[in-house]
Amino acid sequence: MAEHAWILAAVPAIAFLALAALGRRLPRQGDFLAVLAAASGFGLFFAVLASFLGRGEGAWPVLNAIEWTAIGDFRLNMGIAVDQITIVMLAVVTTVAFMVNVFSVGYMKGEPRYWWYFAVLQLFVASMLLLVLADNLLLLYVAWELVGLSSFLLIGHYWERRSAVEAAKKAFITTRVGDVGLLIGIILLWKATGTFNILDIIHAVEAGEVGGTGLFVSVMFIFLGAMGKSAQLPFHVWLPDAMEGPTPVSALIHAATMVVAGVYLVARLLPVFEAAGDALLVVTAVGLITALFSGVVAFAQTDIKKVLAYSTVSQLGFMFVALGAGVVSAGMFHLFTHAFFKALLFLGAGSVILGAHHRQEVGQLGGLWRRMPVTAAAFLVGSLALAGLFPLAGFWSKDEILHAVEGHRGALVFALISLASIMTAFYTTRLFILTFLGKPRDAEAGHARETGASMTGPLVFLAVLSVFAGFVVYGGVGEALGFPGGFGEFVYLHHPETFHIDWGLAGVSTALFVIGVFGAGWLYRGGRLDRAAALTAWQPKLYEMTRRKFYFDDLYQFLIDRVVLGFSYVVSWFDRFAVNDTGVDGSATLTGYAGFLLKHLQTGRVPNYALAIAAGVAALILVALAAGG
């Protein structure tokens, strides 16, 4: 089955075609077909996993490709490659996609274009699965662009709202900037190695066939694409605005799958990054700056989804820091655990929004614990996992990142990533307190009600994963599940990494959790806002700068209005007046004017023509005499 893992992408692709063509006319507008496709993908994943593990480590990766085209000496094969990193991504995508499709049945009920929503959701899942299965960079790039397209369609689902349209365009254009870099990097690597195949490129780099400045430049272009997709600074601006899409979309695309595509790409090509000089140092710096920046901005956000959005940007920074330390197991482990508790938090936010009559500003919420107990309990589990409470999933993966940084990046990076961990615990606790504790700050929030089973069911399932998924780091647990050992013994770069808990580091991690949680608990105790308001009044300019995300959006809008559009006006003027009116239309106008003048010579009278001939002959004689004299 591992050789035929492409079926996982084919199933949602077929569902997309069926829903796009027939969705309006199907019972319930075809939502059952979408759920069935997602459930099938989830079930087929376990068949692929069993087949993969049954082959043994010596038979990894599993490859299956066909010759796509042959031009002279150039051969292009298209196919799939299933290895340990692929298995982790397949687990994440199929699990979260299944939960999101089930949740969407309740959340999207009665919404416009219900059938189209489920159709594009299947297109996204198919594209993402193809992306992680691709054995070459060209096929990966095609899937990469399809992911961007389907994301654009889902973010702009409510196209009646201008804010949704603007958010969709913003996401599409911002990620396209990075995608141009990715395409350039792919072309440069192909030029240097003569192949698009990922394994062949890695082998060529490890053999020393490619190196030096050229390799570093190629890798930086590749990383530009990863930064765009994973919303790393300065491309982060699209992700918070993408919350304009339906909330289940946020859970699928902007928490667990699309935004980790950049992390997956760097993890997949990590041997190439290692060989490219200081490339990993750049990855570490970008991830660290993004984690710190997003954590600060999350402090001042009041929209429940935007707090989670900036949390996602920050956690993606954590993953890049781990990869920048050269420890692929730590980065992929955090990707794995983060997918479950962040999807849980986004779906929990969707349950809150629907149950509280479309209230999503924390200033309008509060006191929902009694009104929505299942959602509140699940959200609490997700929050504690994100903050890093022992022994929930987030604790183990963050502990692995801290261990990787301590061993490979030194004290300064360790101190800064620890500070980012405190920030995570702080804004997560703040969000939970203001949403669920205290008293309702809005009449509608006071009448909130628990959502149906189709929505609470996925919350409970993801909450269970958020509790227990982290234990796969232990060798005994991994072996019991059929793996060679713990997560580090399954996903690694050079050699397996057996997990041994460092109690000193675990104590540091717990202390970071306690500082963040108790800091937020003291400031927002009982859902009160007076202490936070006093802090805001003490430094209003700093608060305003943080609330407005350090003016990145304003800066980009200024550059677009004054620089991009100004330059575009100059180019437009040159194209119209110099190229079009003068170069193209000018020659046509000149020819027409010449014809207009010459037509007056055509009188139709023979004496006039005879006179013209005589004058011409006389002129020729004069010219000849002058030349001969």
Side-chain angles (χ1 to χ4, degrees):
M1 184 62 195
E3 291 182 353
H4 303 287
W6 56 268
I7 296 174
L8 271 71
V11 169
I14 294 171
F16 161 69
L17 294 174
L19 287 168
L22 305 172
R24 285 182 176 178
R25 294 182 286 276
L26 290 174
R28 297 177 55 90
Q29 296 190 34
D31 59 357
F32 65 92
L33 185 60
V35 174
L36 179 62
S40 300
F42 181 67
L44 287 170
F45 160 71
F46 290 100
V48 172
L49 176 62
S51 173
F52 181 79
L53 294 175
R55 291 171 175 265
E57 294 184 57
W60 300 344
V62 179
L63 307 174
N64 185 11
I66 61 172
E67 185 175 270
W68 188 261
T69 187
I71 305 173
D73 295 332
F74 176 72
R75 297 287 186 275
L76 177 62
N77 294 329
M78 291 285 191
I80 64 169
V82 180
D83 65 357
Q84 298 95 307
I85 293 177
T86 309
I87 289 294
V88 173
M89 293 299 297
L90 291 178
V92 167
V93 176
T94 55
T95 303
V96 177
F98 182 31
M99 293 299 101
V100 166
N101 273 275
V102 173
F103 186 91
S104 296
V105 172
Y107 187 87
M108 296 298 292
K109 184 178 181 181
E111 293 285 351
R113 298 174 296 281
Y114 184 72
W115 62 277
W116 178 245
Y117 165 83
F118 278 103
V120 181
L121 207 60
Q122 308 319 301
L123 174 63
F124 172 83
V125 174
S127 304
M128 192 65 203
L129 289 170
L130 181 62
L131 189 156
V132 301
L133 286 167
D135 70 341
N136 69 88
L137 292 176
L138 199 59
L139 182 59
L140 182 146
Y141 186 77
V142 171
W144 189 277
E145 293 302 311
L146 284 173
V147 166
L149 171 64
S150 50
S151 174
F152 167 78
L153 295 173
L154 287 168
I155 295 170
H157 179 74
Y158 299 120
W159 52 262
E160 301 91 345
R161 300 201 308 246
R162 182 168 181 80
S163 57
V165 174
E166 293 297 328
K169 290 192 295 183
K170 188 175 186 178
F172 193 78
I173 293 171
T174 304
T175 54
R176 288 295 77 68
V177 174
D179 293 354
V180 170
L182 175 60
L183 181 59
I184 293 172
I186 291 173
I187 294 171
L188 290 175
L189 285 178
W190 168 76
K191 184 178 179 181
T193 62
T195 180
F196 290 107
N197 186 275
I198 295 173
L199 289 178
D200 291 343
I201 291 173
I202 293 173
H203 293 328
V205 170
E206 290 178 334
E209 298 175 18
V210 186
T213 304
L215 180 61
F216 179 78
V217 171
S218 301
V219 164
M220 286 298 97
F221 276 117
I222 293 286
F223 186 53
L224 198 64
M227 289 172 62
K229 216 61 148 190
S230 292
Q232 296 297 282
L233 207 72
F235 300 107
H236 67 284
V237 293
W238 71 267
L239 184 59
D241 286 9
M243 298 302 110
E244 288 291 338
T247 301
V249 170
S250 303
L252 177 63
I253 296 180
H254 310 120
T257 52
M258 172 185 167
V259 291
V260 299
V263 177
Y264 163 78
L265 181 61
V266 174
R268 171 65 67 204
L269 294 175
L270 196 60
V272 181
F273 277 77
E274 277 191 328
D278 293 328
L280 287 183
L281 185 60
V282 175
V283 174
T284 300
V286 169
L288 186 60
I289 293 170
T290 303
L292 292 168
F293 170 84
S294 302
V296 172
V297 174
F299 290 165
Q301 302 305 304
T302 57
D303 185 307
I304 184 172
K305 290 173 65 176
K306 288 197 174 181
V307 175
L308 295 176
Y310 277 104
S311 169
T312 298
V313 176
S314 180
Q315 296 308 302
L316 291 167
F318 275 77
M319 298 173 204
F320 278 114
V321 168
L323 294 176
V327 185
V328 68
S329 58
M332 291 302 298
F333 187 37
H334 195 52
L335 184 155
F336 177 74
T337 61
H338 173 265
F340 302 133
F341 57 71
K342 187 54 65 68
L344 168 61
L345 289 172
F346 268 109
L347 294 183
S351 182
V352 166
I353 292 169
L354 197 63
H357 310 285
H358 300 281
R359 298 292 191 272
Q360 60 189 77
E361 288 285 331
V362 292
Q364 299 173 324
L365 300 173
L368 296 184
W369 181 273
R370 295 181 181 86
R371 307 293 301 179
M372 306 178 69
V374 177
T375 298
F379 203 96
L380 177 61
V381 170
S383 299
L384 293 175
L386 173 60
L389 174 66
F390 176 86
L392 304 185
F395 168 83
W396 302 107
S397 57
K398 282 190 178 180
D399 187 71
E400 285 293 278
I401 292 176
L402 291 174
H403 181 71
V405 170
E406 182 189 40
H408 297 85
R409 283 302 175 203
L412 177 60
V413 177
F414 182 84
L416 292 176
I417 202 67
S418 298
L419 177 60
S421 297
I422 295 174
M423 292 179 181
T424 302
F426 184 93
Y427 64 66
T428 304
T429 305
R430 166 184 176 266
L431 178 63
F432 181 82
I433 291 174
L434 294 181
T435 303
F436 293 100
L437 302 184
K439 297 180 180 179
R441 288 178 288 277
D442 184 275
E444 293 296 334
H447 295 90
R449 66 186 188 282
E450 188 62 87
T451 50
S454 66
M455 297 174 65
T456 55
L459 296 182
V460 173
F461 181 81
L462 289 170
V464 172
L465 290 178
S466 299
V467 173
F468 295 107
F471 289 110
V472 297
V473 74
Y474 281 100
V477 175
E479 291 172 1
L481 295 174
F483 293 91
F487 196 92
E489 297 170 88
F490 180 65
V491 179
Y492 56 88
L493 187 57
H494 299 298
H495 51 79
E497 299 172 12
T498 303
F499 175 76
H500 298 288
I501 187 167
D502 184 335
W503 290 107
L505 196 61
V508 171
S509 181
T510 302
L512 300 176
F513 167 83
V514 171
I515 292 171
V517 169
F518 276 85
W522 175 82
L523 193 62
Y524 296 98
R525 183 177 57 194
R528 293 166 50 188
L529 297 173
D530 53 332
R531 289 179 176 176
L535 187 62
T536 300
W538 176 56
Q539 287 290 343
K541 292 183 178 179
L542 179 61
Y543 171 76
E544 182 65 12
M545 182 174 65
T546 307
R547 188 185 68 82
R548 296 185 63 175
K549 310 137 193 176
F550 290 85
Y551 304 106
F552 265 93
D553 289 288
D554 302 270
L555 174 62
Y556 288 166
Q557 193 63 55
F558 174 82
L559 292 175
I560 291 171
D561 293 342
R562 301 301 175 87
V563 179
V564 176
L565 293 181
F567 179 73
S568 300
Y569 175 79
V570 173
V571 172
S572 175
W573 180 90
F574 181 81
D575 177 68
R576 172 170 295 182
F577 293 102
V579 177
N580 191 56
D581 292 353
T582 304
V584 179
D585 291 348
S587 59
T589 302
L590 182 61
T591 303
Y593 184 67
F596 173 77
L597 294 177
L598 292 173
K599 76 177 183 178
H600 295 293
L601 300 177
Q602 307 301 319
T603 63
R605 297 178 180 178
V606 175
N608 291 351
Y609 298 154
L611 178 61
I613 292 171
V617 170
L620 290 174
I621 292 172
L622 291 174
V623 171
L625 291 174

